[in-house]
Amino acid sequence: MGLRANPTYRQRRFGAEVRAIREGAGLSAGEAAAVMRMQASHISNVEGGRTALSPERLRSLVEASGRKGTTYVDALVELGQASGKGWWTEYRDRLRPSLLDLAELEDGARDIVCYEPLFVPGLLQTMDYAIAGYRGGYTRASRPEQDLEVEFRMRRQAVLTGENAPRLHAVIHEAALHVSFGDPATRRDQLVRLLKVAELPNITLQVLPFDGAVAFGSSFTVLRPPVRKLSTVIVAHIERSLYLGDVDSLARYDDWFARLCEVALPPVSGDSRHSPHTVKDSYGLIQRLLYPLL
């Protein structure tokens, strides 16, 4: 089998975890190769995500590192053996690989947490809002390319209502709720959708108000599979988004999100509709913004 020219994020992440196990055990590439009965050059390709590693060899490396069989090891074996195929596969060679990586991560997530300072999260956008964002943005993509990305974004949203749907917790800055792309109807329908999806039992929505704490500047998403050690942070960037999976980054962004939740308004909930709004909350703020648009 030839080496992969363009490994997916999942394949690169598997390789990074193998390298972390090897380095954590204090083993050189040659020593690890001897443990797994393979050539040292093979180790480099595995750690770079360019080729696979059998479950037997992975477990022999884990045993040599002094670890015992754990849910993490089982999950890592599963990560390495996954086919990577799903509904997103049909978009291969038509969309940026990073979008396919995102869909695969969402498909395997148990929890998704995200913070957005300027836009409604993609998983919660209406089609008109998404279209307006692409049309009015700075991308040089052609109209057919934009339409394909909007279609892909809308299909991604099915993860929230499908079987084994993940829990989504979103903190959105109030600034994002004022974006209308010049069309009040687009803004109105988007605010209505936020209130509607927030009724789903697996979705928690909070708003960080203008008169609250200083906003965090960058949007980010943390995708957590059943084994949280294999979580991924995606930090949006105009050039290329960062995909982070190291222990320190995961802890740092988990802490930042927890702090955002503390300073944001209480979440939208089913009880919000029937409770007297003597205390400012996310539901009341969205309703206040929506009222002039009705």
Side-chain angles (χ1 to χ4, degrees):
M1 181 181 296
L3 298 179
R4 302 167 182 141
N6 298 296
T8 65
Y9 171 77
R10 176 184 54 80
Q11 292 162 342
R12 297 194 304 272
R13 179 61 184 276
F14 175 79
E17 294 295 321
V18 171
R19 181 173 61 251
I21 292 173
R22 175 180 64 77
E23 293 177 345
L27 297 174
S28 67
E31 291 168 334
V35 167
M36 293 186 284
R37 299 180 183 180
M38 57 196 294
Q39 295 182 349
S41 60
H42 193 173
I43 292 289
S44 175
N45 287 323
V46 168
E47 293 180 356
R50 293 182 292 275
T51 192
L53 183 67
S54 71
E56 295 75 22
R57 283 176 165 164
L58 174 59
R59 292 188 186 278
S60 65
L61 177 63
V62 170
E63 184 177 348
S65 72
R67 299 189 185 200
K68 297 181 179 180
T70 62
T71 53
Y72 162 72
V73 175
D74 293 339
L76 189 56
V77 167
E78 185 176 344
L79 187 70
Q81 295 300 299
S83 69
K85 295 180 179 179
W87 65 265
W88 55 89
T89 307
E90 66 185 82
Y91 292 88
R92 190 168 292 165
D93 300 324
R94 295 197 291 156
L95 288 176
R96 290 171 285 141
S98 60
L99 291 178
L100 308 185
D101 289 337
L102 174 58
E104 185 177 0
L105 286 169
E106 290 171 341
D107 185 70
R110 174 174 290 177
D111 293 277
I112 301 173
V113 303
C114 64
Y115 167 69
E116 284 287 350
L118 291 176
F119 301 103
V120 170
L123 288 175
L124 303 179
Q125 291 179 6
T126 65
M127 179 176 287
D128 285 345
Y129 184 99
I131 291 173
Y134 274 96
R135 299 285 190 268
Y138 296 96
T139 177
R140 294 185 179 275
S142 66
R143 182 65 64 88
E145 290 172 333
Q146 292 178 9
D147 290 343
L148 187 62
E149 292 205 15
V150 169
E151 173 190 311
F152 189 79
R153 181 172 296 180
M154 294 300 103
R155 289 193 65 180
R156 280 175 47 215
Q157 295 180 359
V159 73
L160 295 178
T161 54
E163 187 176 358
N164 299 318
R167 293 181 292 265
L168 172 67
H169 189 160
V171 175
I172 307 173
H173 195 275
E174 183 181 348
L177 306 182
H178 287 264
V179 174
S180 67
F181 303 108
D183 181 1
T186 296
R187 182 183 176 212
R188 178 198 64 213
D189 293 346
Q190 182 60 74
L191 293 175
V192 169
R193 173 163 170 75
L194 287 178
L195 292 177
K196 183 175 181 179
V197 297
E199 295 178 354
L200 295 174
N202 59 316
I203 294 181
T204 301
L205 176 62
Q206 290 182 264
V207 177
L208 184 63
F210 280 130
D211 59 358
V214 175
F216 190 89
S218 300
S219 64
F220 65 86
T221 300
V222 185
L223 299 114
R224 300 169 178 159
V227 175
R228 287 187 61 158
K229 188 174 181 180
L230 293 175
S231 298
T232 298
V233 178
I234 302 178
V235 185
H237 191 274
I238 191 170
E239 291 289 341
R240 182 168 57 182
S241 296
L242 299 176
Y243 282 63
L244 307 173
D246 61 282
V247 173
D248 290 341
S249 292
L250 293 175
R252 188 165 61 251
Y253 279 89
D254 279 346
D255 179 64
W256 283 336
F257 188 76
R259 292 164 64 184
L260 283 165
C261 291
E262 290 177 358
V263 297
L265 296 175
V268 177
S269 68
D271 295 335
S272 300
R273 295 177 178 274
H274 310 291
S275 301
H277 283 80
T278 56
V279 177
K280 189 175 182 181
D281 62 12
S282 298
Y283 177 84
L285 190 151
I286 295 175
Q287 280 282 35
R288 178 173 59 80
L289 296 177
L290 178 59
Y291 183 76
L293 302 172
L294 295 177

